[in-house]
Amino acid sequence: MDLRVTDTAYLDWSGDALAIGFFEEQVELTGDLAALDEKLFGTLKELIAEVEFKGKEGSSAATRVGRGSAIRKVIIIGLGKPDGFKLDSLRRAGAASARLAKKEKCKTLGISLPTWNGNSALSAQAIAEGVELALYQDNRFKSDAEDKVSKVEQVQLLGLGGQEAAIVRAQHICSGVILARELVAAPANIVTPITLAQTAETIAQDYGLDLEILEREECERLGMGAFLGVAQASDLPPKFIHLTYKPAGTPRRKLAIIGKGLTFDSGGLNIKGAGSGIEMMKTDMGGAGATLGAAKAIAQLKPDVEVHFISAATENMISGHAMHPGDILTASNGKTIEINNTDAEGRLTLADALVFADKLGVDAIVDLATLTGACVIALGDDIAGLWSPDDAIAQQLNQAGDLAGEKLWRMPMEEKYFEGMKSVVADMKNTGPRPGGAITAALFLKQFVKDTPWAHLDIAGPVWADKENGYNSAGATGFAVRTLVNWVTG
């Protein structure tokens, strides 16, 4: 798809479909809009009246213009109330425009939307992201040829000429989101720990990043007993991935991003039962997918920040070698862990990854993981939980998420709850009581970070969408890639 910006106004544009945004209760056709309607033989006014269009957020409609018009179809997009207008409103409006144009079998699309806070660059980027992400379809595992699907071939963002750099930035970021989507959506017989390592190798080769893959023996030498305890039942080898982006000059800061990389989670000997959603446990590497997606985007954006992308990748399987409930594992910082639930395995892999990152001398660490069902119960499917004892990093991530349109909610680090994780025979258990389960999971992770500012994101809810929502189609969302990019480059 050819995506470009232009100074052409909607009055002068010609093509298959013209999309125009309207704020709620501001759908009167005056000035240039009245002139456009006259040019379109009154079609715009008729469409607004026919569908009782009020400009409410999420509303849209399209119709054909009469013969002889330079525009074949017109699309109207509701932006909601002006005082609720956000950058993500443009992202969603761009997505709605693109989806309708595709549905209406339009090859060329012009989009005319207001700018957010007078910022043309961020506005162009947001609209472009919405278009790119909405039009992406993952048909890799379908036998029907994709060429049967109607395609939008060219999109022009009207009135935003000169913002070519914003379009390029959006495309780099979307390439990372799409990589994350494809990794998370692929089944466990396609994406394995080996696949994740190979993906990291491809990114390193394509963009000149440094790569270190630690095999089982090297992890043993580093004392990664928690990670290897999870990995020991799988027939596939574990892969500890350490991918590093370094800027050309002196880095402004150094950061580490850690993604949980469980390519399949059976639950281990505490096997997931019927109705547990075990068939969706291919998504348990959503953190690693986002981490590698962010690596791809950042490698193309080339910020003046050094970033370490880390994932302890493995499966959690069942065999005669599986860790037992009651086993005691020793993490690489020497802390001992009594396993009271083999299905709480992600935090074990993250423990050794956090110790590894903490020794790199970075300025901050963020880990992200599809860690707990408790977080989904607390915050639903659209919001990720954010835990951090550091106010500065929590604020940075919240701001990064706001710009990305990815919702984060800061949760409490209630230290008292860690009492429920104390063990009679070891330093701690790997799970606590059922109440506050997402909080105790974060408190567990905190035991493996010394003094480095750190935050934990539980993305179990928003990593997957059961139905189309805005610029996310049904399936993997690539959640957190755009937030991570904003955090790194901010």
Side-chain angles (χ1 to χ4, degrees), residues 58-69:
S59 62
S60 61
T63 193
R64 186 177 180 88
V65 183
R67 184 178 299 176
S69 170

Side-chain angles (χ1 to χ4, degrees), residues 15 32 37 51 75 108 121 134 143 167 173 224 256 277 293 304 322 324 327 346 366 368 382 410 414:
D32 286 346
D37 189 46
V51 301
I75 295 170
T108 59
S143 58
I167 300 301
I173 293 170
M224 294 183 178
D304 58 346
H324 315 84
D327 282 357
V366 169
L368 60 158
D382 295 333
R410 191 176 183 186
E414 186 62 41

